[in-house]
């Protein structure tokens, strides 16, 4: 894994940038929020004045082996003042500044979870009006934490003051999203379909699919040519899962979306 403080542009490597500036608690830091949302400010506002970012130790088991992790997390209250659609997912980049507004470090993006409306043209990332949260959580192996990471952290602890939030995609387009424009799916569904709002069930199916796909990748990498014959079926399963997600995602909570991102990251790590 690349060094956490060596490549701030990579979200997976930036999880260790901020843990804590508190002399009493070395696992969290509270920063004053400054929002620079540009055109996006016509649609959303950040309601929190401060954000606390935490660095914690966790363990997970992969392939029967226990792995120690460093986990960086934060959550910011936002209000979608007017329903909005965009051609990109709405993520907020986060830059840490000192009291003189000099850059100290960059954080992984804070994600605002919306839903897809493929009938809304290019602006298919859609967000309903109301209160929600922008969530950030990144994991990395604890063994990759180096002295330079700790030195950078110490610098943040002694100088970090502000966190500046901006849209992560400078070229994103925004427009007011008209509620009710989503066309209802009139097709029949079988009993095996995931019911609307049952995102936990869908997540379990998705995780099982990812585990099967990782096994397939491992078999192919070991020279098992039969693995190629399984690919069409895997592709069919992936398409079915995508369709079921459309039925289940509307009522998903931030915690459920976080589980989805963790499963997705596990898959991406396996294909590297």
């Amino acid at each position: 894994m690349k060094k956490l403080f060596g490549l701030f542009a990579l979200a997976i490597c930036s999880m260790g940038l901020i843990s804590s500036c508190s002399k009493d608690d070395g696992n969290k830091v509270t920063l004053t929020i400054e929002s620079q949302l540009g055109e996006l400010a016509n649609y959303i506002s950040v309601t929190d004045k401060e954000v606390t970012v935490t660095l914690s130790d966790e363990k997970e088991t992969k392939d029967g082996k226990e792995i120690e992790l460093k986990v960086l997390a934060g959550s910011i209250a936002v209000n979608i003042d007017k329903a909005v659609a965009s051609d990109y997912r709405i993520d907020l980049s986060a830059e840490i500044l000192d009291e003189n507004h000099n850059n100290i470090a960059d954080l992984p993006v804070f994600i605002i979870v919306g839903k897809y409306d493929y009938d809304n043209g290019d602006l298919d990332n859609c967000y309903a009006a109301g209160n929600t949260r922008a969530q950030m959580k990144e994991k990395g192996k604890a063994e990759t934490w180096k002295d330079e990471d700790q030195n950078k952290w110490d610098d943040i602890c002694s100088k970090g003051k502000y966190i500046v939030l901006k849209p992560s995609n400078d070229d994103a387009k925004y427009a007011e999203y008209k509620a009710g424009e989503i066309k209802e799916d009139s097709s029949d569904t079988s009993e095996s379909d995931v019911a609307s709002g049952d995102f936990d069930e869908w997540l379990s199916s998705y995780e099982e699919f990812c585990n099967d796909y990782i096994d397939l990748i491992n078999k192919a990498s070991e020279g098992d040519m039969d693995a190629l014959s399984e690919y069409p079926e895997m592709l069919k399963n992936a398409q079915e899962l995508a369709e079921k997600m459309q039925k289940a995602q509307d009522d998903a909570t931030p915690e459920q979306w976080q589980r989805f991102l963790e499963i997705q990251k596990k898959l991406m790590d396996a294909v590297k």
Side-chain angles (χ1 to χ4, degrees):
M1 180 177 175
K2 296 181 176 66
K3 295 180 179 179
L4 297 180
F5 288 111
L7 297 173
F8 294 140
L10 297 177
I12 190 174
C13 298
S14 57
M15 51 144 293
L17 293 184
I18 2 178
S19 321
S20 168
C21 294
S22 167
K23 295 181 180 179
D24 298 323
D25 185 346
N27 296 318
K28 63 182 180 181
V29 57
T30 299
L31 302 164
T32 300
I33 295 174
E34 294 186 351
S35 301
Q36 298 179 11
L37 301 181
E39 182 186 354
L40 186 58
N42 295 324
Y43 303 96
I44 76 169
S45 55
V46 178
T47 53
D48 276 344
K49 303 301 181 184
E50 296 180 331
V51 58
T52 297
V53 180
T54 62
L55 182 71
S56 59
D57 296 320
E58 292 185 8
K59 295 180 180 180
E60 70 177 21
T61 302
K62 182 176 182 180
D63 298 328
K65 182 180 179 181
E66 189 174 73
I67 302 173
E68 294 185 352
L69 302 171
K70 292 286 187 180
V71 181
L72 183 71
S75 179
I76 297 173
V78 299
N79 186 65
I80 301 178
D81 305 308
K82 184 190 304 182
V84 58
S86 176
D87 52 345
Y88 287 93
R89 186 183 68 186
I90 297 180
D91 299 338
L92 301 178
S93 66
E95 179 183 15
I96 301 176
L97 307 179
D98 63 17
E99 62 180 4
N100 296 316
H101 283 76
N102 296 314
N103 176 276
I104 297 177
D106 296 327
L107 291 181
V109 296
F110 284 75
I111 298 171
I112 303 175
V113 175
K115 61 183 178 182
Y116 291 107
D117 181 359
Y118 294 109
D119 294 324
N120 203 49
D122 292 337
L123 306 182
D124 56 3
N125 291 271
C126 303
Y127 300 79
N131 295 319
T132 186
R133 301 196 72 83
Q135 308 274 3
M136 181 273 293
K137 187 175 184 180
E138 285 292 335
K139 295 181 178 182
K141 292 182 180 179
E143 64 187 27
T144 63
W145 185 266
K146 307 298 183 182
D147 289 342
E148 62 189 88
D149 301 331
Q150 186 61 49
N151 291 337
K152 189 66 177 182
W153 163 237
D154 291 341
D155 196 31
I156 293 171
C157 286
S158 60
K159 299 178 182 179
K161 177 68 175 177
Y162 304 101
I163 181 170
V164 179
L165 302 177
K166 299 178 182 179
S168 62
N169 294 294
D170 295 334
D171 298 329
K173 299 176 182 178
Y174 307 103
E176 184 176 0
Y177 178 64
K178 303 294 185 180
E181 284 187 347
I182 297 179
K183 296 180 180 179
E184 295 295 333
D185 184 0
S186 59
S187 61
D188 293 335
T189 58
S190 66
E191 292 182 359
S192 62
D193 283 341
V194 178
S196 176
D198 196 356
F199 203 63
D200 279 327
E201 183 177 341
W202 183 87
L203 281 170
S204 296
S205 299
Y206 179 62
E207 186 169 24
E208 182 178 356
F209 166 80
C210 288
N211 289 335
D212 290 342
Y213 191 65
I214 290 171
D215 289 341
L216 184 65
I217 292 171
N218 292 335
K219 288 168 61 177
S221 66
E222 293 171 358
D224 186 346
M225 298 305 296
D226 290 338
L228 295 177
S229 65
E230 299 179 35
Y231 181 77
E233 184 66 23
M234 295 295 294
L235 180 59
K236 178 182 177 181
N237 291 341
Q239 293 171 336
E240 291 177 352
L241 280 169
E243 293 173 359
K244 291 177 181 180
M245 182 182 182
Q246 296 304 309
K247 302 180 180 72
Q249 67 175 346
D250 289 353
D251 298 325
T253 66
E255 290 77 15
Q256 289 171 321
W257 279 112
Q258 184 57 51
R259 182 186 171 197
F260 167 73
L261 294 174
E262 291 173 359
I263 296 171
Q264 196 170 47
K265 184 177 183 299
K266 178 182 177 181
L267 176 62
M268 296 307 297
D269 287 344
V271 300
K272 287 181 180 178

